[in-house]
């Protein structure tokens, strides 16, 4: 076991590192417990280069398991929700050798896999820790994405500067945003607050309790805080920075967020599971435009699609053909974007979410941004509805701002949108709903009707 970064954690001594409920660990304790756990894992038969599933969510156990396995130079596959489909992918396609359950108790179960996938060879021969991330699997079986975990840690391992920040761990444990946040917080000497229940109520309670200064989240979750008035039920005055990503931000939602968090800086982040998270900069908290200021990232926009290239790019997919890279090595993000001048980028939405109305392209984000400023609309989601003549038409689900009949809501919405949208963009189907459906990753569900 040779992980010099454990030493850099230990050097930070009694500085707070992790808070999980009533338990608080210093950096020295984190390093020592990770070492002890690594020895225990090796006694259980885990060796460098083996694929190990870590089933857990944000908790001290899960974080220590990830650090310990990285120290062993294993290939770690963190999983929050171990569904049959995900379990099959990890056991069969990824050839996993062990399953570590890191919930309230820590258990190690040997599996039949021998970790022999050809993509593992470079990591195993060089004694490098690996990381497997799974896509959400919304279009079928999840893709298994292989990364160099040592590179990710090395990029974040830096000396502490200034006052320690308290950051809440909200983005998912098995998502690139969550892993990036965890590694960035620990290896920059800040303090991570664990949230086990990913609800607006619980998150805001922990923000108040620990005087959290940094909240990494996504637009849909921030909107849930707004809709439930959780920012008023809890004292969030310690917040200084909210970073948001994983989906495009409607401009009107950003306006609402500026109103309820007037003293908080809002910063859009950007990255993918395949390329990692880039450093970004916004002109202001009122802008949905951003610049990629990370020198290690390159970007270009080709036929409206944002493409990225980074040194921390994934090593490949373990279970599907790699068609996401161009012939010259650029990753196709699947995000529609436009250059906004001065090196700024504007994300318009996902290519797969575009509604095709008789050959005309409609962006759901444009419809939603308008509707969020309608007095009768509290929240909404736009999506495509199959149509025999035009292929698709625009549909919207709307959570009304106050009691109103379905017919009344439709009339109000159509009157509000009149003159603001081209005819083909106007909603044909308007459905009043009690709640807007959200996935377990806190994103709006758009595949409502195809």
């Amino acid at each position: 076991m040779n992980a010099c970064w454990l030493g850099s954690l230990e050097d930070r001594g009694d500085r707070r590192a992790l808070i999980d409920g009533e338990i608080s660990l210093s950096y020295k304790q984190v390093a020592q417990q990770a070492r002890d756990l690594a020895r225990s894992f090796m006694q259980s038969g885990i060796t460098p280069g083996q694929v190990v599933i870590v089933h857990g969510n944000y908790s001290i156990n899960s974080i220590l398991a990830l650090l310990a396995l990285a120290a062993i130079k294993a290939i770690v596959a963190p999983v929050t929700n171990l569904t049959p489909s995900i379990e099959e992918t990890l056991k069969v396609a990824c050839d996993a050798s062990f399953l570590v359950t890191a919930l309230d108790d820590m258990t190690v179960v040997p599996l039949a896999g021998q970790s022999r996938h050809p993509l593992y060879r470079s990591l195993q021969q060089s004694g490098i820790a690996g990381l497997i991330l799974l896509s959400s699997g919304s279009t079928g079986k999840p893709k298994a994405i292989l990364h160099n975990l040592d590179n990710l840690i090395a990029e974040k391992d830096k000396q502490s500067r200034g006052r320690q920040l308290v950051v809440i761990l909200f983005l998912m444990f098995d998502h690139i945003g969550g892993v990036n946040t965890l590694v960035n917080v620990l290896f920059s000497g800040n303090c991570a607050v664990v949230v086990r229940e990913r609800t607006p109520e619980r998150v805001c309670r922990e923000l108040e309790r620990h005087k959290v200064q940094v909240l990494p989240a996504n637009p849909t979750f921030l909107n849930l805080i707004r809709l439930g008035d959780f920012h008023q039920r809890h004292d969030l005055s310690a917040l200084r920075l909210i970073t948001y990503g994983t989906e495009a931000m409607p401009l009107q939602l950003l306006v609402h967020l500026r109103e309820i968090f007037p003293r908080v800086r809002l910063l859009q982040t950007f990255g993918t599971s395949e390329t990692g998270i880039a450093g970004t900069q916004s002109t202001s908290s009122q802008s949905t435009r951003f610049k990629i200021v990370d020198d290690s990232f390159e970007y270009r926009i080709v036929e409206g699609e944002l493409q990225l290239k980074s040194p921390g790019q994934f090593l490949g997919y373990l279970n599907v053909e790699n068609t996401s890279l161009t012939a010259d090595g650029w990753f196709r993000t699947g995000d529609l974007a436009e250059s906004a001048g001065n090196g700024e980028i504007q994300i318009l939405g996902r290519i797969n979410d575009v509604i095709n109305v008789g050959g005309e392209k409609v962006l759901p984000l444009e419809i939603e941004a308008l509707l969020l400023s309608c007095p009768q609309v509290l929240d909404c989601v736009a999506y495509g509805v199959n149509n025999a003549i035009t292929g698709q038409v625009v549909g919207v689900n709307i959570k009304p701002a106050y009691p109103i009949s379905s017919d009344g809501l439709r009339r109000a919405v159509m009157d509000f949108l009149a003159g603001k949208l081209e005819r083909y963009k106007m909603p044909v189907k308007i459905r009043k709903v009690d709640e807007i459906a959200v996935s377990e990753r806190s994103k709006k569900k758009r595949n409502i009707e195809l």
Side-chain angles (χ1 to χ4, degrees), residues 28-41:
K28 183 177 180 180
Q29 289 171 320
V30 167
Q32 291 173 342
Q33 291 188 29
R35 281 199 184 93
D36 291 343
L37 188 55
R39 294 189 188 97
S40 175
F41 283 158

Side-chain angles (χ1 to χ4, degrees), residues 171-184:
L171 297 174
M172 294 187 75
F173 177 64
D174 56 358
H175 185 273
I176 186 62
V179 174
N180 182 77
T181 301
L182 170 63
V183 173
N184 191 41

